[in-house]
Amino acid sequence: MTVQAAENINIFWFLPTHGDGRYLGTTEGGRPVDLPYLQQVALAADSLGYYGVLIPTGKSCEDSWLVAAALAPITRNLRYLVAVRPGLQPPTLAARMAATLDRLSEGRLLINVVTGGDPVENKGDGIFLSHSERYEVTHEFLEVYRRLLAGEKVDYRGQHIQVEGAEVLFPTVQRNGPPLYFGGSSEQAIDVAADHIDAYLTWGEPPAQVAEKLAVVKARAEEKGRTLEYGIRLHVIVRETEDEAWAAADKLIAHLDDDTIAQAQQIFSRMDSTGQARMSALHNGNRDNLRIAPNLWAGVGLVRGGAGTALVGNPQQVAERIREYQALGITHFIFSGYPHLEEAHRFAELVMPLLPTSTQPRSAKGQLNTGPFGETIGGAARPVKQVSAS
């Protein structure tokens, strides 16, 4: 896939509403994720210059809409990528919720369309549909949802969704509603993306596999006369040296035992998500061969569903890997790291200055104790080397 890389990229962080800590798959080093902690992460992301934050969805998480509503008032520029769930909520309700939160956040809402890939969890939510039926619902949902947020009064009769005289009375700040993000690797998912989505998301596979997938999505969208943007979801482990970074990766899974890995892999195997199957195939539940591409590590996916790979290395290496994905046409990068508060700062300080980001950290101009940043030397002299240049 050959495309012209965009000049600037949008860097997102992640709100860990399903838990956080220093290690994976254990209570060791875990920390409570309450409102004050989420506020700290959101405020850090806002001040450090992240474009937005992804809020996960599902029964293992706090509700993404309520979290976004709680955090939007305390942040200035940060955007919130929040999930709508076709089949779990009707499109009219989702449209009203989106319009309200877009207004209350002054246009800082983004929408993540999540079809759901775990049949067991879906049944717990009252959804007894096959994989293909769920994507039929998603298609019909978006037909209605998009028209509502474009200001239409909608009559629609589909196989799964029917509305008469549906409308949203109060418009969104963003014209035609917040942008739609969506990820899915199956043929049905790619069709949905081609028809409806603004930004197609993929999980962090090796660049060659990502290029192959994006080429298919791009071609399918072009058949519909549409042009999409592209994004990728990755974890990141960056340290000042490569050895330190790989040591941190090993430490992250230091408390994992084989039984915990096997239990997680059994849960993943019951899912009918093509994307999850592709993630699991990168390691096959085996911790022996987790370095799957230069600076790309699959250790997170041993016990975490969804995004299971991390960029690992020193700042220059991580930035170079990001530029490789950017060269494929990716402009939205959604990162996370454990613990999320500290790693938000680390990534922003070490890597973001090396990248052409679309946003910048909040200016210190006019504030107390302005830069160069760092502790005053000897009580009188200011440091001259910026932290970001280290």
Side-chain angles (χ1 to χ4, degrees):
M1 176 179 177
T2 303
V3 296
Q4 183 175 357
E7 292 185 2
N8 293 317
I9 58 178
N10 298 327
I11 302 292
F12 291 74
W13 198 243
F14 184 84
L15 289 181
T17 63
H18 48 39
D20 202 6
R22 292 182 290 117
Y23 305 103
L24 287 175
T26 177
T27 58
E28 183 76 22
R31 61 180 58 170
V33 175
D34 52 16
L35 180 58
Y37 182 69
L38 292 172
Q39 288 174 328
Q40 290 181 70
V41 178
L43 287 168
D46 194 30
S47 62
L48 291 167
Y50 288 92
Y51 181 82
V53 285
L54 169 63
I55 309 178
T57 185
K59 73 176 184 179
S60 64
C61 314
E62 298 284 9
D63 180 78
S64 62
W65 288 86
L66 295 179
V67 170
L71 298 177
I74 69 168
T75 52
R76 299 181 185 177
N77 302 309
L78 196 67
R79 296 162 181 84
Y80 293 88
L81 182 51
V82 180
V84 297
R85 299 294 304 272
L88 189 58
Q89 58 188 155
T92 48
L93 175 62
R96 286 198 293 270
M97 292 169 63
T100 297
L101 190 51
D102 193 54
R103 290 193 304 276
L104 294 181
S105 66
E106 298 180 316
R108 291 185 287 133
L109 178 63
L110 307 170
I111 295 296
N112 185 25
V113 181
V114 177
T115 298
D118 184 347
V120 174
E121 182 173 331
N122 286 337
K123 290 175 182 177
D125 287 331
I127 301 173
F128 294 82
L129 299 173
S130 67
H131 180 275
S132 60
E133 288 172 330
R134 293 200 307 275
Y135 281 100
E136 291 172 1
V137 170
T138 301
H139 175 81
E140 293 183 8
F141 176 100
L142 292 173
E143 286 278 357
V144 175
Y145 172 92
R146 292 175 63 209
R147 291 172 60 188
L148 288 170
L149 289 188
E152 295 184 35
K153 190 170 185 177
V154 180
D155 293 326
Y156 183 87
R157 183 175 294 273
Q159 184 177 351
H160 303 278
I161 293 174
Q162 299 179 23
V163 297
E164 294 182 3
E167 61 183 326
V168 172
L169 295 179
F170 304 104
T172 56
V173 173
Q174 299 176 84
R175 185 179 179 184
N176 295 326
L180 296 177
Y181 291 65
F182 170 85
S185 299
S186 68
E187 286 296 310
Q188 297 96 324
I190 293 172
D191 282 337
V192 167
D195 283 331
H196 299 290
I197 301 303
D198 299 302
Y200 176 81
L201 302 176
T202 182
W203 286 327
E205 298 173 346
Q209 294 182 31
V210 171
E212 182 181 3
K213 182 194 292 187
L214 297 193
V216 173
V217 177
K218 182 174 184 289
R220 196 77 54 87
E222 288 178 345
E223 291 174 2
K224 307 285 187 177
R226 303 186 69 241
T227 301
L228 308 185
E229 296 181 7
Y230 298 94
I232 194 167
R233 171 80 178 95
L234 286 155
H235 305 276
V236 63
I237 302 172
V238 61
R239 297 295 186 269
E240 293 187 24
T241 70
E242 183 180 9
D243 288 344
E244 288 176 316
W246 284 115
D250 292 337
K251 187 175 181 180
L252 185 61
I253 58 173
H255 293 274
L256 275 185
D257 55 44
D258 291 341
D259 288 342
T260 302
I261 294 174
Q263 181 183 5
Q265 295 303 310
Q266 184 176 9
I267 292 172
F268 302 153
S269 68
R270 80 189 185 198
M271 299 179 180
D272 59 7
S273 165
T274 303
Q276 182 61 61
R278 290 171 67 112
M279 279 282 102
S280 297
L282 296 175
H283 52 72
N284 291 315
N286 189 327
R287 67 169 86 219
D288 294 334
N289 297 293
L290 296 175
R291 301 191 188 190
I292 58 174
N295 304 107
L296 187 63
W297 181 71
V300 178
L302 292 173
V303 290
R304 187 195 190 280
T309 54
L311 295 180
V312 181
N314 63 41
Q316 291 73 26
Q317 290 171 322
V318 171
E320 179 61 26
R321 300 288 85 76
I322 292 171
R323 285 191 287 267
E324 287 179 0
Y325 286 116
Q326 182 189 6
L328 301 179
I330 292 175
T331 56
H332 303 271
F333 290 81
I334 305 173
F335 292 113
S336 56
Y338 298 91
H340 288 73
L341 179 59
E342 292 93 317
E343 294 303 311
H345 281 275
R346 196 189 305 270
F347 181 82
E349 292 166 1
L350 294 178
V351 181
M352 284 172 63
L354 306 177
L355 298 172
T357 58
S358 62
T359 54
Q360 298 296 325
R362 191 177 301 166
S363 173
K365 184 177 180 180
Q367 299 178 4
L368 297 176
N369 198 19
T370 57
F373 302 111
E375 184 177 1
T376 302
I377 300 170
R382 300 310 306 268
V384 295
K385 185 178 181 181
Q386 296 285 352
V387 172
S388 61
S390 63

